[in-house]
Amino acid sequence: MSIMTITGKHKEENWGISSSAYQIEGGWNADGKGPSIWDTFTQTTDTIPDKANGNVACESYNRLNEDLYMLRALRVKSYRFSLSWSRIFPDGTRKSLNQKGVDYYNRLIDGLIAYNIEPIVTIYHWDLPEALQKVYDWDKAEMIDIFNDYCDFCFATFGDRVKFWITINQPQTIGWSGYGLGNMPPNVKDPGYRPYIVAHNLIKAHAKAYHTYDDKYRQSQGGLISIALNADWAEPKDVSIRREVVAADRAMQFQLGWFAHPIFKNGDYPDALKWQVGNKSEIQGFPQSRLPSFTEEEKNFIKGTADVFCVNHYTTKIVSHITARLSPESYEYDWDFKEEEENDSPTTAIPNQKVVAWGLRRLLNWIKEEYGDPEIYITENGVATEAQTTWDDSDRVFFYKAYIDEALKAYELDGVTVKGYIATSLMDSFEWLNGYKVGFGLHHVDFIFGPLELFHILSHYSHKHESILLEFHVKD
């Protein structure tokens, strides 16, 4: 059994672990749950290895006590998990309320609190109810109010115990992978238009949910609310060439700034984004930019709608300037930069996720400088390894030692206000387009025989700076 204890100077910081509903819960149609777009996609596609799906996954819906036991054994301070929208509202709206789904999350939240583990709840982690997809979808403005009503219900139902809310996980992934590349649900391939429209609606939906919490619940519940944004670090290929440095900054703005700039700065998109898309649109003969614009009222409504900065980070890319093609219209061709892998770093089981630990420190410093020194929570960080056949997990041990060390450097040496670190993930689970071929888990899951076994975590890791000690005790 592995037990993690945290002592010393960082004992008040938030060390946690994460999961998401579709990846672990299973019970895809149990007790009145409706189908989500991921249920529909995985059950009808052959693009995922072994035609895998989340129908059963880790069976967390039926093995709640085991999940709580593992969390308690790790002695983490927080557990980030997501709510399945279609388990609570099978058709996506309040009129279809499924009390058994609500009961499940009440048991989970109550169990965490009983073990002094803070629930960090993501309201939407990609699994839109299929019933909503058929009628509205995220490219329709109507989704803003529908999402807000769902959030309102969650705040009212769980907010007496949940004090840390994340509205949406990785809106950039939703916009680009879901509506541009079309390789994730809802599998829309419209790279030049739909990602921008969807992002516009997601930002406004987040802002509305934030204000609903602020206006109706904050005074009585006293919680925090934010949004989880994904960010690779973009390192210039040649820091001595200004054009390369500008291209790397543009890469940061197109991925992270697309959402962070409106929310944390001025309610509007970054200038680099507006200039690139507007310029390309004009050359392409469009009467206006393919990037939608916010009204002044909307800018004021969006600005400042996050209490802390939540970032998901996995790797670093090397970025250089290019002049991209104009046709067909595409978010990717709007960039005018190209990304390459960092050649000197170890590989992982996912080809585009090299282990480049130093990039995390640079990313944290960039966020500090760009957004006015916000309190930062690293809400996802982890490494994929091949499906486990042995108990040797040295690659994951190395990854966490290296990345945590860089986060501590940013905190200790650079003065970045890092408030929490959440490892990905609690256990091996359904890894989206990779199915079960890779695992991020701190616990191994045998998907054939079922029992969950406590697998591995960092071993005897100590940081050289004074008063900091992370001890990981491994027992049989």
Side-chain angles (χ1 to χ4, degrees), residues 311-367:
V311 62
N312 299 348
H313 173 74
Y314 288 94
T315 194
T316 286
K317 301 292 175 59
I318 306 301
V319 171
S320 56
H321 175 87
I322 62 168
T323 300
R325 60 196 294 184
L326 289 170
S327 179
E329 300 84 21
S330 171
Y331 163 74
E332 185 175 8
Y333 300 150
D334 290 338
W335 298 349
D336 280 347
F337 63 79
K338 70 174 181 179
E339 297 177 325
E340 301 172 77
E341 292 186 359
E342 210 285 324
N343 289 328
D344 296 329
S345 299
T347 60
T348 74
I350 297 178
N352 63 353
Q353 290 185 2
K354 288 283 196 78
V355 179
V356 194
W358 52 261
L360 175 58
R361 182 181 180 184
R362 298 188 185 191
L363 171 65
L364 293 170
N365 274 276
W366 191 88
I367 292 170

Side-chain angles (χ1 to χ4, degrees), residues 273-283 289-291:
L273 200 67
K274 292 193 290 184
W275 194 91
Q276 287 287 134
V277 183
N279 229 26
K280 297 254 181 178
S281 298
E282 183 178 351
I283 295 170
S289 176
R290 288 177 283 107
L291 179 71

